[in-house]
Structures are given as structure tokens and as C-alpha cells.
Amino acid sequence: MWQMRSVSVIGIGETKMGSFPDMTLDDYIRQAGSISIEDACIEKKHIQALYMGNFNSSYLCKQSLIGSLACQVLGLRGIPSVRVEGACASGGLAFRQAYMAVASGMYDCVLVGGVEKMTHRTAEEVTEAIASATKFDEEAMAGVTFPSIFGMIASSYMHEYKFTREALAYIPVQSHANACKNPDAQMHKAIDVEKVLSAKQIASPFTIFDCSLVTDGAAFALLHATDNIPEESRRKHPPIEIIGSGHGGDYVSIAQKRSLTTFDATKLAAQEAYMMAGIKPEAVSLAEVHDCFSITQIINTEDLGFFDPGMGGWAAQDGKTAITGTLPINTSGGLKAKGHPIGATGLSQIFEVITQLRYDAGDRQVKHADIGLAHNLGGTAAVCTVHIFKRRR
Amino acid sequence: MWQMRSVSVIGIGETKMGSFPDMTLDDYIRQAGSISIEDACIEKKHIQALYMGNFNSSYLCKQSLIGSLACQVLGLRGIPSVRVEGACASGGLAFRQAYMAVASGMYDCVLVGGVEKMTHRTAEEVTEAIASATKFDEEAMAGVTFPSIFGMIASSYMHEYKFTREALAYIPVQSHANACKNPDAQMHKAIDVEKVLSAKQIASPFTIFDCSLVTDGAAFALLHATDNIPEESRRKHPPIEIIGSGHGGDYVSIAQKRSLTTFDATKLAAQEAYMMAGIKPEAVSLAEVHDCFSITQIINTEDLGFFDPGMGGWAAQDGKTAITGTLPINTSGGLKAKGHPIGATGLSQIFEVITQLRYDAGDRQVKHADIGLAHNLGGTAAVCTVHIFKRRR
């Protein structure tokens, strides 16, 4: 393979996640972007390009061209920018493009962010905006929504592996527990299995607690070629190297999937990322895994090679995926409890992994955080990115 | 600079441009994508990634996730894909990302396409969709539309350079003449200066003939690492090498521009592309230049270094930019007369340049087509890509 250049994350920033009616799209970008630049100890003039992940502000905020908007808001005049979209994987995809832009040798220093503002629209409008990530003419037009799609996936999984509705509830219980320790999280409320089971039904077998949140927020990361990181930046934080990057795909319609209980897009992205990193899944210390619904986290942890098929759910119940477990998953609280600002989600996952690898995660710090993984999924498991990070000693 | 790998275009395809009510978004993608794959003499299994340029199908067709959609439509199962957006530069930006993905060494063979379907929506809906590429809360909300923005730019230019309304009309006259020779063009109707001047007023000083078209269509290109192009592909067409790639940016609001009569984004993209190619503007044999409005083409040809400031308009009147001129511009008919399927426009420009460099342009073939340039602009000159191509001998 052609030689690619080593790339590291030298700065991160995110907003609090939730609903803040006075905050504009500009405000979210300004806040998270500025934090990441300051965190990196880099002057703005060193930033050479900007990648922005955004799902559907074109509809939700009537604002496209989010790359150029972010340049203006952040005072990055003359900087080339681009918006990247892949539904809920928009953030991870923007990160992947930014990574390649530095790894290719095109740039030394690239800013990448994600943003979404959704909570100002009605539930019907948000549902319509999100349904644009189905195959619209065949699925959304027939009344199919994402809770119903992933509900079918959950039912298939429960049938195939004799998994139980009760055990599924341990996923959100754990996410809510972790979010209580994350100051940026939207939810700060512990729940128990009983509360999950007795909550409002959304789409069988899901109650409201199996579903991720509707969230506003932004998250950013600053990438730099590892071989010439400025000294001030290096002194402030240990650079966290991107040792693996993977991008997988699948068809968009659920009717075209080869399986409902495993996601090819995740497997392909993981395979590429592990191969580049030269590691096996067992080497991973902690992971942020896409959990748009409780079942999604379970299947993804299996497809990432962390657990055998059919065992991902029990692993949560057994405490293996808790902060104190053998493989902590979604220490941030995940999409379920930290929140799911769609275009920002992939970057917010990376924010958490970097925070852990810097040993800056406070009450939710994972012991022995050596290698971290961030997994972001879009649509009906139609597109996926996996990134693997390592603290340089 | 880090060594980047040489990349060539080995396949191209586009649909006819216009309004075809029976064609779906899928149909446009299927048609243009299939032509490009066949043109390259490549089996689908060799394609490793897909980049899609699309501006606003999220609103216009209620369909996001265009990358995964295109994989499904084209039968590219398991292929990683991503959608790229930068308003009218979405296609050029997708091409730039695809170029970097191969130049970085990540992939050998990448498909890149652009698509837009707009003509099924009302004029009001199309105007609203396009206005999302202004700074919406400050501009579109105040009633500002793109014809009014570029009308202001035209008025400033005419004032600063004592340029005339009549001379401006030579731009669309030439574009319509060229489009008559392009079977894919939306317009096949020659016009004259009198017709331009006496047509319906849109936004002073523009009549309808100064404005580009509302168009449906798709265009694709297949990129390959130059050093290992398959033999069958090489035998079918001479590979056309990408010798320069540039990406420039500026703020999104017109109130934030440093000048109304020159576009920083174009200058920055051109500078980067010329430097990479190691050529000066005089070396360019022909160019497709973004002409959303007549004035845009004039200013861009100056910012690309083809003509001195204030001289770009007279160059058209003098016939210098005609197919038989010293520097043919928009031999395809341009956005004005070939059409402007927003997300596909950048790719359709590249389709024309490659066609010319292959000497396949029939009646509109430029003599001595050695080096071609494609220039794509988004928003109020907020983002720009420039690509320079050379036929390998």
C-alpha cells in the first residue's frame, strides 16, 4: 500500500447536549469550534481546511453550506471547507475525510466538526427530517420510520438468539448511569430495568427508553500531521494518534439487507480499521458504539468483534460493558443519554474517546485507557465509520 | 510536501440535462453511473468507494443519504460511500474528496458522481431550496435571493469597470451557441444580444437570459491511481491525469466579502491548482467556468488569470472565449444553456473537459485540447474547486 502519513488529534471541543432555545446554529458551531482550537493551543492561521458533518439543517434550519457558514462563524477566512453527510454517520464521515486530507499530505492541520439543531421543530417535522435517511420513496412513503425499522431488527435478534425484552433494558440503564457522570450529557437521571419496561411503548419491542434522544449540539476535533505537531500543543496534551480508520457501506433499504441481526457496514469498517491499526478487538480498552436504539448497540458490539453473536446483550447485563467492566462501552452515556445531535454525534463520540485516552474523564474515567475506538452508523446500517485511537507514550 | 500519488480519470458518464418528469432520482444515478463504469471498462467489483455530490435532495426529494442510495441503485454492495455538499460546488467538492482518497493511497479506484432533481417542485420551493445556500437567518429571511445577490455584484462590476449591459449579453449568447452543439444540453436554441436585452427582467441588471437554468441530471467520473490503470481501460481511452486540484473558501454572507468584483475563493483554489500542476493560466487550452449568472463567468475568468480585471466581459464579445477562440470557455453550453443540476454541475463540467481532452467532442471540439480546467463555485462565491487535467501522451 502507498505510504500514508500518521495523523493525531491535538484538540477537542463540544457543547453541552440538549435543547437550548436561545442558541442558534452559529452559537453551537462557535462554542464547540472555539473550545477545540483553544484546547489544541493552535493559532487560527495554522488551520488549513475545515470539514463539517451535518445531517439535515437544509430542512430543519433552512441552512445548507454549513462548511462555509462555520468558516465565517469561527473567523477562518479563506479556508477551504466542505460539508459531509451520511445520516447519523455524518460526523464520523467528516472525521474520516479530514483524516484522509492530512494523511494524503494535502494539509498538515485540519479542523473537523459536526453540528445539528433539531429541538426547535415539531416531533412530526423531526420525524420527517430523519425519515429522509430511509429509502424515501419505498420506506418513509409507506409509513416506515426508524423506530419501526430497528424494532423489526430487535424482534429478529430476540427470536434468533432467544434474547429477552428484560435483558435489552440493561443497555439504557447503563447508558443513563454513565451519563450521570458526564457534565455535557443531556440526561442526568439514573433509571432501572423496571422503569424501562413500564415506560411508553414506541415501536414493539421498544419503549421510549430504548430510543436515543432528539438533541441539539456540536463537537469538534483538530487534526494534525503527527510528525510536525507544534511544541506548545504537544506540551499541553499528549497527542492521540489515529492508528486505524475504516469506512463500510451497505444498501439503504432494509428489504435489501442480507441479515437483520448483523450489520455488514460495521463489519467492513471494523475490518479495515483493525487491519490498519494492526490490532485485534481484544486490544481495545474502551469504545463509543452507535446506539440509536438499544438493539443497535448490542449488534454493533458483536460486529466489532467484542462479543460473540448473540452475546452482546448479556455482556451488558453482566456488567462487562460498564465503566468498571472488562470493555467499557459508551462511557459518555451514548446517543441514548448523552444525546444524539445527529451531525455532531460521530465527533462527540471521538470527543469522549480522546478525553478518556488523555485520562481527563473524571468520575467516569476508565482505568488503563490505552486504545479507544469510536463507531458511528448511518441510516439502516447503510454506512459506518470506525476510528481507533492510541495515546502516544 | 508529502508525496501524493498521481490520479487519472478513466471513465465518464452523464444524463441528458433538463426536465424529464418520469425520471426518478434513482434513474438519473443509474443512468449516468452505469455509463461511466462502462466507459472505463472496469468491473464493478474493482470500485472501492463512492463519493456523491448533492445539494438539497433532503428538501427537494425528501431523500438524504445519497451515497448509500447510489450504492444500492448501482449495485455496489458493501462499498463505502459519502455525500458531499457545498451548494452549487457540491459536485466539484465530491470530485476533490474522491481525488484525495486515491491520491492518499487509501484506494486505487473510486467512483464519484453528482445528482439533482429539482424541476418537479414549484418555483417557490426551488427558490427556497436554493436560498438555503445564503446565510439564511440574515439574507434569505430578509428576502434576499441569489439573482438579487449576483445582480448587486453585476452592478458593482459595471460601475467599477465601466462595463455595459449590452456587452454582458454576449456571455449567454455564446453559451447558447455552444449548447446547440451539445446533445446533452437542456437548451438547443441560439439567441442574440437583442433577445437577451428585451427578455423578462429578473433582478437588475439581469434578464432571464443572464440566469442559469433549473435542471435535473446526473454526471459521474471514475478515478484510478495512474500507476496501475487496468490494461483494458487504458486501451479504450487515453487516461486523463488530474495534474492540479485546488479548493478555496470565503465567508458565506455577501456583507462579509472583501470585494464584490473579485472572488477570493476562486483565486485561492486557482492558486493551489496551478501550483500543483506547475503551470500558468496561459497553458490552459479550454475551461468550464461556473456561470450561475453571466457576471459570474466574467469575474471567474479574471480570477482564474485568463484575463485582466475588467477585461473578462470584453473577451467574450471579442470571440476570444468562443470554441474557435484563443481560450474556449464553456464549450458545453455552461450552467446557462447546458443546464445547472446543482449537485451534478461540477461533475458535468469535468465530463466536458475530459470529453474535449479525449477529442470526443464532435462539432464543439476544441483544436489543440491539451490541458483543460474545470471551475465550480458554491453559494455567494463562498467555496470553490478548480481541477486541471492533462491528456497523457
Side-chain angles (χ1 to χ4, degrees), chain B residues 130-144:
Chain B
I130 297 176
S132 72
T134 67
K135 186 159 191 326
F136 188 83
D137 53 357
E138 296 172 4
E139 297 181 327
M141 281 287 280
V144 174

Side-chain angles (χ1 to χ4, degrees), chain A residues 1-5 26 51 55-56 58-59 61-66 68-69 71-72 75-87 93 96-97 99-101 103-107 128 132-138 227 245 247-253 256-258 268 272 276 378-379 382-383, chain B residues 1-5 26 51 55-56 58-59 61-66 68-69 71-72 75-87 93 96-97 99-101 103-107 128 132-138 227 245 247-253 256-258 268 272 276 378-379 382-383:
Chain A
M1 199 168 118
W2 190 260
Q3 177 79 27
M4 289 177 65
R5 197 160 58 152
D26 293 14
Y51 285 76
F55 168 46
N56 203 351
S58 295
Y59 171 82
C61 304
K62 301 191 177 191
Q63 180 68 64
S64 304
L65 204 52
I66 301 289
S68 305
L69 177 78
C71 284
Q72 179 165 325
L76 300 171
R77 191 187 280 278
I79 296 302
S81 67
V82 61
R83 168 192 166 208
V84 166
E85 187 262 324
L93 286 164
R96 163 97 169 168
Q97 301 315 309
Y99 163 71
M100 269 199 272
S104 70
M106 186 71 84
Y107 304 114
E128 184 177 348
S132 72
T134 66
K135 186 158 192 328
F136 188 83
D137 53 357
E138 296 172 5
D227 58 21
S245 175
H247 179 183
D250 196 359
Y251 289 167
V252 68
S253 309
Q256 298 286 336
K257 301 283 164 188
R258 299 198 296 188
L268 290 164
E272 183 183 2
M276 185 183 296
V383 61
Chain B
M1 199 170 118
W2 190 260
Q3 176 78 27
M4 289 177 66
R5 198 160 58 153
D26 293 14
Y51 285 77
F55 168 47
N56 203 353
S58 296
Y59 171 82
C61 303
K62 301 190 177 192
Q63 181 68 63
S64 304
L65 204 53
I66 302 290
S68 306
L69 177 78
C71 283
Q72 179 165 325
L76 300 171
R77 190 187 281 278
I79 296 302
S81 67
V82 61
R83 168 192 166 206
V84 166
E85 187 262 324
L93 286 165
R96 163 96 169 167
Q97 301 314 309
Y99 164 72
M100 270 199 272
S104 70
M106 186 71 84
Y107 304 115
E128 184 177 347
S132 72
T134 67
K135 186 159 191 326
F136 188 83
D137 53 357
E138 296 172 4
D227 57 22
S245 175
H247 178 183
D250 196 359
Y251 288 166
V252 68
S253 309
Q256 298 286 337
K257 301 282 164 190
R258 298 199 297 188
L268 289 164
E272 183 184 1
M276 184 183 295
V383 61

Side-chain angles (χ1 to χ4, degrees), chain A residues 24-305:
Chain A
T24 64
L25 203 57
D26 293 14
D27 292 334
Y28 287 106
I29 294 169
R30 188 180 299 110
Q31 203 176 94
S34 300
I35 294 171
S36 72
I37 297 169
E38 198 174 321
D39 182 64
C41 260
I42 283 274
E43 286 180 68
K44 283 183 188 174
K45 67 180 180 191
H46 289 123
I47 298 171
Q48 295 170 291
L50 172 62
Y51 285 76
M52 285 300 295
N54 173 260
F55 168 46
N56 203 351
S57 285
S58 295
Y59 171 82
L60 290 165
C61 304
K62 301 191 177 191
Q63 180 68 64
S64 304
L65 204 52
I66 301 289
S68 305
L69 177 78
C71 284
Q72 179 165 325
V73 168
L74 292 170
L76 300 171
R77 191 187 280 278
I79 296 302
S81 67
V82 61
R83 168 192 166 208
V84 166
E85 187 262 324
C88 302
S90 298
L93 286 164
F95 189 86
R96 163 97 169 168
Q97 301 315 309
Y99 163 71
M100 269 199 272
V102 180
S104 70
M106 186 71 84
Y107 304 114
D108 283 333
C109 180
V110 169
L111 184 63
V112 51
V115 67
E116 209 78 50
K117 181 170 159 66
M118 316 168 64
T119 64
H120 62 298
R121 304 301 292 261
T122 65
E124 289 69 25
E125 289 166 343
V126 168
T127 301
E128 184 177 348
I130 297 177
S132 72
T134 66
K135 186 158 192 328
F136 188 83
D137 53 357
E138 296 172 5
E139 297 181 328
M141 281 288 279
V144 174
T145 61
F146 276 107
S148 69
I149 288 175
F150 281 90
M152 280 194 281
I153 289 170
S155 298
S156 297
Y157 182 93
M158 289 164 68
H159 174 76
E160 185 167 338
Y161 294 114
K162 307 200 187 324
F163 190 64
T164 66
R165 166 61 267 205
E166 188 188 342
L168 193 59
Y170 282 87
I171 299 290
V173 168
Q174 192 173 81
S175 297
H176 275 253
N178 293 353
C180 287
K181 299 177 176 174
N182 182 355
D184 291 340
Q186 186 166 358
M187 287 288 189
H188 289 120
K189 189 173 69 174
I191 57 170
D192 58 21
V193 168
E194 179 48 39
K195 191 167 176 75
V196 175
L197 299 178
S198 61
K200 184 181 169 191
Q201 286 281 332
I202 297 296
S204 175
F206 297 148
T207 71
I208 188 104
F209 284 105
D210 292 287
C211 308
S212 54
L213 305 171
V214 175
T215 307
D216 301 337
F220 277 72
L222 195 56
L223 306 191
H224 206 287
T226 307
D227 58 21
N228 59 1
I229 296 171
E231 198 46 45
E232 320 83 77
S233 179
R234 197 178 274 277
R235 269 201 301 270
K236 186 163 177 198
H237 297 292
I240 307 293
E241 189 178 359
I242 303 163
I243 60 170
S245 175
H247 179 183
D250 196 359
Y251 289 167
V252 68
S253 309
I254 190 166
Q256 298 286 336
K257 301 283 164 188
R258 299 198 296 188
S259 163
L260 291 186
T261 56
T262 183
F263 300 146
D264 284 353
T266 294
K267 285 184 166 172
L268 290 164
Q271 187 180 9
E272 183 183 2
Y274 288 135
M275 187 174 297
M276 185 183 296
I279 65 163
K280 291 191 186 308
E282 300 82 65
V284 173
S285 320
L286 70 134
E288 291 285 304
V289 175
H290 200 89
D291 59 322
C292 49
F293 298 94
S294 48
I295 189 65
T296 323
Q297 176 175 325
I298 293 174
I299 293 177
N300 283 319
T301 55
E302 296 170 6
D303 290 332
L304 286 164

Side-chain angles (χ1 to χ4, degrees), chain B residues 147 151 165 168-169 172 191-212 292-294 336:
Chain B
R165 166 61 268 205
L168 192 59
I191 57 171
D192 58 22
V193 168
E194 179 48 40
K195 191 166 177 76
V196 175
L197 298 178
S198 61
K200 185 179 167 191
Q201 285 280 331
I202 298 294
S204 175
F206 296 147
T207 72
I208 188 104
F209 284 105
D210 292 286
C211 308
S212 54
C292 49
F293 298 93
S294 49
K336 174 63 204 83

Side-chain angles (χ1 to χ4, degrees), chain B residues 25-53:
Chain B
L25 203 56
D26 293 14
D27 291 335
Y28 287 105
I29 293 169
R30 188 180 298 111
Q31 201 174 97
S34 301
I35 295 170
S36 72
I37 297 168
E38 197 175 321
D39 182 65
C41 260
I42 283 274
E43 286 180 69
K44 282 183 188 174
K45 67 181 180 190
H46 289 125
I47 298 171
Q48 295 169 291
L50 172 62
Y51 285 77
M52 285 299 295

